[in-house]
Amino acid sequence: MANECNMLPRGSGPHTVGCTDIMTTGGQEGTFMRVYYPCTTNGSKMYPPTSLMPRHEYTAGLVSFLRRSQWLFPHLINRWFGRMKASVYWNAHLNGKEAYPLLIFSHGLGGFRSLYSTVCIDMASQGFVVGAVEHRDESASATYSIDDDGQEKWISFRHLQQGEKEFPLRNKQVEIRAEECIRALHLFEDFQNGCPVENLLPVDFKFTSFQGCIDLKRVAIMGHSFGGATAILAAHKEADFRCAIVLDGWMVPLHEDLLPVVKKPLFFINSETFHWPVNVAAMLVLLSNQPANRMITLLGTGHLNQSDCPFAVSGYLGRLLGTRGPLDPKEAMRINNCASLAFLHKHLELVPGFEQWDELVEGKGEHVMKGSPVKPFVDGSSS
């Protein structure tokens, strides 16, 4: 067992959490995701490497995404991220005593399926099945597909070229990402209906065990940064997504014509330091679309507080490198997840209990404020 100081926070809910991976056929048109779920522990084993670095190729990809030295930074990445462990049971049996609501998760730019384990584990511990999609649109720092001959095809992060405008590339990617999230939802529909699904990965988990155990009437989507924009678009496109939670959303990829027409309930949970006027202005357009929409800011937090990064690079070094703000990362994550559960409780009609955090959704409480401290307009015009 890992030293506790190298462990990601345990889930706060009553359920023990299991974890497995799936990659379906179809190459990049298939689905690749990590699945977190309430489990039983009989005959299961802890799987320590399930946190930030699934394989060594992800280390090189993350270094390339950060545009850092391939000589020094792989050692630092492995020291910071590779040592972290997660309190989950790998390939554990699903606790099939009830039908669980479903949450699809979309990672941010340069992320991958395991970089938000803390959020996903906590949601699963509270009774959700969570599908953390690994996007293969060249926005992950590294990912791969497996062809018909069993050969791996690695997909590198796509940097902007010199002189290239950002919106056309990111808008194309967000469309792909939204479709990947919708395909993930449809895959869970197959699980629920008992349809056989081939997994190209060598994992010993029977996805047929999900049959009858997913509540497809209670489905939501959540994403961080680029994943926040992805969640908005996917919720707009797919009727079965009843609401979306946008963690520090990056609005650049979304076409301005989309903003006024998104009618699904949205919850923006922002960090204090990430946003700028144009980004907030786009959020306010979405916020005005219906009364159920909400926006709060977590005070004392930075952009990476909603990922696993502040637990891997902590203390003063974490603040220096921008993986966290001055607020304690565990407290920031607790507020983030409690507010999310309260919003999901309302819009998915969950069992009583999560409404105890309703005030957080309204921006009331310590370390939280309603709206954003960033003004969306300067001198009467956007900037």
Side-chain angles (χ1 to χ4, degrees):
M1 180 62 64
N3 188 301
E4 281 296 322
C5 68
N6 294 337
M7 295 289 289
L8 294 174
R10 297 178 181 273
S12 62
H15 296 278
T16 304
V17 178
C19 177
T20 192
D21 283 341
I22 185 167
M23 183 188 294
T24 63
T25 58
Q28 290 178 238
E29 299 303 315
T31 296
F32 187 17
M33 64 180 169
R34 178 153 288 182
V35 182
Y36 304 84
Y37 52 91
C39 75
T40 61
T41 57
N42 294 338
S44 302
K45 63 179 181 179
M46 292 299 287
Y47 183 71
T50 196
S51 62
L52 305 187
M53 289 293 136
R55 292 173 49 168
H56 70 87
E57 289 91 347
Y58 289 85
T59 299
L62 193 54
V63 172
S64 176
F65 164 70
L66 296 171
R67 297 183 183 271
R68 300 295 183 180
S69 165
Q70 288 288 344
W71 174 74
L72 174 62
F73 258 75
H75 302 287
L76 295 176
I77 293 293
N78 284 328
R79 179 178 178 183
W80 293 332
F81 293 85
R83 67 190 175 95
M84 299 303 296
K85 315 299 180 185
S87 300
V88 294
Y89 285 84
W90 184 246
N91 290 341
H93 296 295
L94 174 73
N95 186 343
K97 294 182 179 180
E98 57 186 281
Y100 301 105
L102 175 64
L103 182 65
I104 302 296
F105 191 94
S106 173
H107 65 72
L109 195 69
F112 39 88
R113 69 189 185 281
S114 60
L115 199 57
Y116 297 85
S117 293
T118 307
V119 172
C120 295
I121 289 170
D122 201 46
M123 292 295 138
S125 79
Q126 295 286 357
F128 282 82
V129 171
V130 183
V133 176
E134 185 159 294
H135 293 292
R136 294 186 285 191
D137 61 325
E138 300 180 309
S139 68
S141 58
T143 187
Y144 67 103
S145 61
I146 299 175
D147 64 22
D148 293 338
D149 298 325
Q151 298 298 310
E152 294 178 357
K153 178 184 176 182
W154 281 88
I155 304 164
S156 300
F157 178 79
R158 162 81 151 80
H159 286 282
L160 282 175
Q161 304 301 309
Q162 186 174 4
E164 183 180 15
K165 293 186 180 298
E166 188 154 46
F167 173 75
L169 171 62
R170 304 309 182 200
N171 183 250
K172 178 180 178 182
Q173 288 177 320
V174 79
E175 292 284 347
I176 296 170
R177 287 166 138 260
E179 290 302 321
E180 288 175 321
C181 290
I182 293 168
R183 286 202 299 270
L185 167 59
H186 292 165
L187 184 60
F188 278 108
E189 291 172 350
D190 290 341
F191 296 160
Q192 167 68 6
N193 294 326
C195 301
V197 176
E198 181 182 359
N199 188 0
L200 299 177
L201 302 176
V203 297
D204 184 22
F205 181 82
K206 293 180 172 58
F207 286 91
T208 52
S209 64
F210 280 113
Q211 183 175 3
C213 293
I214 301 173
D215 188 344
L216 293 175
K217 294 182 179 179
R218 293 180 172 139
V219 180
I221 184 167
M222 173 190 282
H224 175 252
S225 194
F226 201 172
T230 305
I232 292 167
L233 182 59
H236 175 67
K237 287 187 166 189
E238 173 55 59
D240 287 341
F241 287 126
R242 292 179 56 178
C243 61
I245 297 177
V246 182
L247 306 179
D248 230 16
W250 184 44
M251 299 294 99
V252 168
L254 299 177
H255 198 285
E256 62 181 8
D257 290 346
L258 173 73
L259 304 180
V261 299
V262 177
K263 300 303 181 184
K264 293 291 179 65
L266 305 175
F267 185 27
F268 296 92
I269 307 179
N270 297 344
S271 72
E272 186 175 7
T273 61
F274 175 65
H275 296 276
W276 61 99
V278 170
N279 207 59
V280 173
M283 289 182 171
L284 291 179
V285 174
L286 289 158
L287 200 66
S288 67
N289 288 347
Q290 66 150 296
N293 294 348
R294 293 291 185 272
M295 180 197 294
I296 64 171
T297 296
L298 302 182
L299 302 176
T301 62
H303 189 51
L304 295 178
N305 264 107
Q306 293 156 316
S307 71
D308 295 337
C309 294
F311 304 106
V313 189
S314 58
Y316 175 76
L317 182 60
R319 293 187 63 180
L320 183 66
L321 296 178
T323 63
R324 53 161 292 187
L327 180 62
D328 177 76
K330 289 185 178 180
E331 177 64 6
M333 187 64 73
R334 184 194 70 80
I335 297 170
N336 181 87
N337 295 347
C338 289
S340 297
L341 288 165
F343 185 81
L344 292 170
H345 172 265
K346 179 177 180 179
H347 295 286
L348 299 186
E349 301 167 7
L350 302 177
V351 295
F354 300 135
E355 71 277 7
Q356 64 181 298
W357 299 303
D358 280 350
E359 285 196 348
L360 292 175
V361 179
E362 303 301 328
K364 299 176 182 178
E366 192 175 9
H367 308 303
V368 65
M369 66 168 285
K370 184 177 181 178
S372 170
V374 177
K375 295 184 181 300
F377 299 98
V378 177
D379 296 330
S381 61
S382 62
S383 69

